[in-house]
């Protein structure tokens, strides 16, 4: 999903497309199995266990937590911090590192092991409280609550995902249905787009055919750092159908460095965006981000551009 919680963001920084949960986590069978596993563990009272049995209980709890975390973690999850903590604008997220499912599983499992003593103390207090208030089988009550929490969390995630997908689709359809807002593309923007379509990149031939029919939405509104595009319905498409084009352009205005990024959707040219380069959000940057963006009044000339192509290694 596209939302960011605390120090984590589950969506790409560009295009704000969905990072849906892995197929396994979306299945009702996964919810049933997870609820049963956590509920079953809740039936075990750790307080009277011997040292060996308690160690096995803790390892099982940590392993189950790690596996569950890895299963529900969307691909492309990024750890970082809000940009305003580093002097950047509010509402933006500065990425620090990507989170793999293996590392997330280890972190979650390790956290459970580290908190084993206080969690078991809390478990004992809850069990004692329930017993004191006349509950005959407190472990069964606790297991029921555990099952309900896991099931409710899974159901809430699915409902939220359906709502986000529906909103996203409605917004896209509304944009696609505003053909009356289409106009001639800004020649300066088209020149930048032409420069990004470098020979040798997979799919560039089809995109060049699309370029011949490209139009710009709300072109009469004048220059904006985001240009939304439309191309002929009968033009060839490319795959992957949704992607960030691997060729980007960088340019400099004073102390501020900018990047231009092309977004492909459904195999077609979708948008071209100017944004501040990532290093402009670093603690050592003295550039006023808002002022730098607002200083732009036109697309840069092709001669100003430094093209970079993304590979398996860092940008080259």
């Amino acid at each position: 999903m596209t939302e960011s919680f605390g120090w984590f963001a589950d969506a790409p920084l560009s295009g704000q497309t969905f990072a849906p949960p892995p197929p396994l986590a979306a299945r009702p069978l996964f919810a049933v199995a997870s609820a049963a596993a956590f509920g079953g563990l809740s039936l075990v009272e750790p307080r009277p266990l011997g040292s060996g049995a308690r160690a096995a209980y803790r390892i099982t709890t940590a392993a189950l937590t790690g596996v569950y975390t890895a299963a529900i973690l969307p691909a492309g999850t990024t750890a970082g911090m809000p940009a305003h903590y580093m002097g950047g604008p509010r509402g933006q997220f500065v990425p620090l590192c990507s989170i793999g499912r293996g590392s997330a599983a280890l972190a979650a499992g390790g956290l459970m092991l580290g908190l084993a003593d206080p969690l078991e103390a809390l478990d004992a207090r809850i069990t004692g409280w329930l017993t004191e208030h006349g509950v005959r089988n407190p472990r069964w009550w606790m297991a029921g609550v555990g099952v309900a929490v896991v099931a409710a969390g899974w159901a809430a995630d699915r409902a939220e995902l359906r709502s986000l997908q529906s909103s996203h689709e409605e917004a896209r359809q509304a944009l696609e249905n505003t053909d009356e807002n289409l106009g001639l593309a800004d020649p300066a923007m088209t020149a930048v787009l032409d420069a990004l379509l470098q020979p040798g990149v997979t799919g560039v031939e089809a995109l060049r055919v699309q370029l011949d029919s490209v139009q710009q939405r709300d072109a009469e509104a004048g220059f904006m750092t985001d240009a939304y595009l439309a191309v002929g319905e009968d033009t060839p498409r490319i795959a992957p159908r949704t992607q960030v084009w691997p060729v980007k352009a960088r340019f400099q205005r004073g102390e501020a460095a900018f990047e231009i990024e092309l977004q492909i959707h459904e195999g077609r040219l979708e948008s071209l965006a100017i944004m501040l380069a990532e290093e402009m959000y670093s603690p050592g940057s003295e550039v006023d981000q808002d002022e730098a963006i607002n200083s732009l009044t036109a697309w840069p000339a092709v001669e100003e551009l430094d093209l970079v192509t993304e590979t398996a290694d860092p940008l080259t």
Side-chain angles (χ1 to χ4, degrees):
M1 291 173 281
T2 59
E3 295 175 289
S4 302
F5 298 97
W7 303 96
F8 300 93
D10 294 339
L13 294 177
S14 173
Q16 296 301 296
T17 54
F18 286 113
L24 174 63
R27 296 177 182 174
L29 180 61
F30 173 81
V32 172
S34 300
F38 282 107
L41 271 179
S42 298
L43 291 174
V44 179
E45 185 173 358
R47 182 170 44 181
L49 297 177
S51 58
R54 179 169 293 190
Y57 168 82
R58 291 181 174 183
I59 291 172
T60 301
T61 301
L64 180 59
T65 302
V67 170
Y68 182 83
T69 301
I72 66 172
L73 188 72
T77 299
T78 303
M81 64 176 61
H84 70 271
Y85 286 3
M86 303 173 67
R90 291 185 176 274
Q92 293 192 18
F93 183 83
V94 178
L96 297 179
C97 64
S98 296
I99 304 176
R101 292 195 177 111
S103 57
L106 289 173
L111 182 64
M112 289 302 296
L113 287 175
L115 295 176
D117 285 332
L119 289 176
E120 289 172 11
L122 177 62
D123 179 279
R125 293 184 63 181
I126 294 174
T127 302
W129 186 89
L130 290 172
T131 302
E132 291 172 3
H133 286 76
V135 177
R136 292 185 178 181
N137 298 298
R139 305 309 303 183
W140 284 99
W141 281 88
M142 294 169 69
V145 170
V147 168
V149 168
V150 173
W154 182 88
D157 281 347
R158 302 290 75 70
E160 182 183 19
L161 178 61
R162 286 192 296 270
S163 176
L164 287 171
Q165 289 174 330
S166 176
S167 299
H168 187 267
E169 184 59 28
E170 288 175 3
R172 185 169 296 284
Q173 288 179 358
L175 182 61
E176 291 176 350
N177 291 333
T178 57
D179 290 343
E180 64 275 10
N181 292 332
L182 292 177
L184 292 175
D186 183 339
M189 183 277 296
T190 305
V192 173
L193 184 55
D194 178 77
L196 291 177
L197 301 181
Q198 289 291 296
V201 182
T202 302
V204 69
E205 296 84 0
L207 294 184
R208 284 208 162 275
V209 175
Q210 295 179 20
L211 182 60
D212 292 337
S213 64
V214 72
Q215 292 180 286
Q216 185 175 348
R217 301 187 189 277
D218 298 318
E220 70 281 357
F223 170 76
M224 292 183 288
T225 56
D226 294 279
Y228 295 95
L229 313 173
V231 299
E233 287 291 328
D234 58 348
T235 54
R237 304 190 189 191
I238 70 168
R241 292 164 58 86
T242 298
Q243 60 170 291
V244 176
W245 186 243
V247 181
K248 300 181 181 182
R250 291 175 62 95
F251 67 97
Q252 196 86 14
R253 290 289 169 84
E255 297 297 320
F258 296 88
E259 284 187 351
I260 302 178
E261 188 174 270
L262 171 62
Q263 181 76 34
I264 308 297
H265 180 68
E266 294 184 350
R268 298 189 178 107
L269 299 168
E270 182 187 48
S271 65
L272 194 64
I274 302 176
M275 62 198 74
L276 282 169
E278 185 176 327
E279 62 267 23
M280 294 296 97
Y281 295 104
S282 67
S285 175
E286 297 181 357
V287 171
D288 184 309
Q289 291 90 358
D290 291 334
E291 182 179 326
I293 286 291
N294 293 333
S295 70
L296 298 176
T297 58
W299 290 89
V302 173
E303 293 76 18
E304 297 180 68
L305 303 180
D306 180 19
L307 299 180
V308 289
T309 302
E310 188 178 32
T311 65
D313 299 317
L315 291 179
T316 57

